[in-house]
Amino acid sequence: MNSTFFIALRFVFGIFLIVFGANKFLHFMPAGQMSEAAMNYFSALMSTNTLYVVAIVEILSGLSLLINKFGALMMIILMTVSVNALLFNAFLEPGSIGLTLVLLILNIVMLYAYKERYKDILRP
C-alpha cells in the first residue's frame, strides 16, 4: 500500500470513519427521516448500546488508518459494520443507501490495498 493513491485514500477513509463514528456520540449531523421499521431497529441498537460499539469500531478503524497501525485487522473488523449497514439500508431504508455504498466500496478497496497482509491466513 505504498502508492500515493492508497495513502490519500487511507487518510480520507480514516477521517470519514472518525467523523461518522464521532457523530454517533455527539450528534452533530442531523438525522434524516426514517421509516418506522428503521426507527425500531435504531431504538433497539440504542437501548442495548450496540450503536456505541459500532461507533467505537468506526473511530478505532479511522485512527488505525490515520496512524497506519493495525489497518489490515481493522478493515476486516470494519467489514462486519459495512455489511450490516448495507443490509440495513437495502431492507429498511433503501433511499439512503448512498453513503453506505461509499463505506462498503472504500472498505473493499482498503482490504485490497492490504492484500499482502492476508496471504498467510488465506492460504489453503
Side-chain angles (χ1 to χ4, degrees), residues 33-47:
Q33 292 292 334
M34 286 192 271
S35 67
E36 184 179 344
M39 283 302 295
N40 291 338
Y41 182 81
F42 261 92
S43 295
L45 289 177
M46 291 295 290
S47 67

Side-chain angles (χ1 to χ4, degrees), residues 6-91:
F6 283 121
I7 292 171
L9 191 61
R10 194 183 78 217
F11 279 103
V12 169
F13 192 33
I15 292 168
F16 175 85
L17 290 169
I18 291 170
V19 167
F20 282 95
N23 183 55
K24 289 176 180 63
F25 287 111
L26 304 174
H27 310 289
F28 51 83
M29 291 187 289
Q33 292 292 334
M34 286 192 271
S35 67
E36 184 179 344
M39 283 302 295
N40 291 338
Y41 182 81
F42 261 92
S43 295
L45 289 177
M46 291 295 290
S47 67
T48 60
N49 294 322
T50 305
L51 196 60
Y52 296 123
V53 174
V54 171
I56 290 168
V57 168
E58 288 176 345
I59 292 168
L60 289 177
S61 296
L63 289 173
S64 73
L65 289 174
L66 290 179
I67 64 173
N68 201 20
K69 297 286 183 193
F70 306 109
L73 172 65
M74 293 309 292
M75 289 305 97
I76 291 173
I77 295 169
L78 184 66
M79 185 53 82
T80 61
V81 173
S82 300
V83 169
N84 278 301
L86 180 70
L87 292 173
F88 167 79
N89 281 17
F91 293 107

Side-chain angles (χ1 to χ4, degrees), residues 6 72 109-120 122:
F6 283 121
V109 169
M110 293 309 298
L111 283 168
Y112 178 77
Y114 285 116
K115 71 180 185 261
E116 294 297 320
R117 307 250 178 110
Y118 306 128
K119 282 188 176 184
D120 288 338
L122 296 175

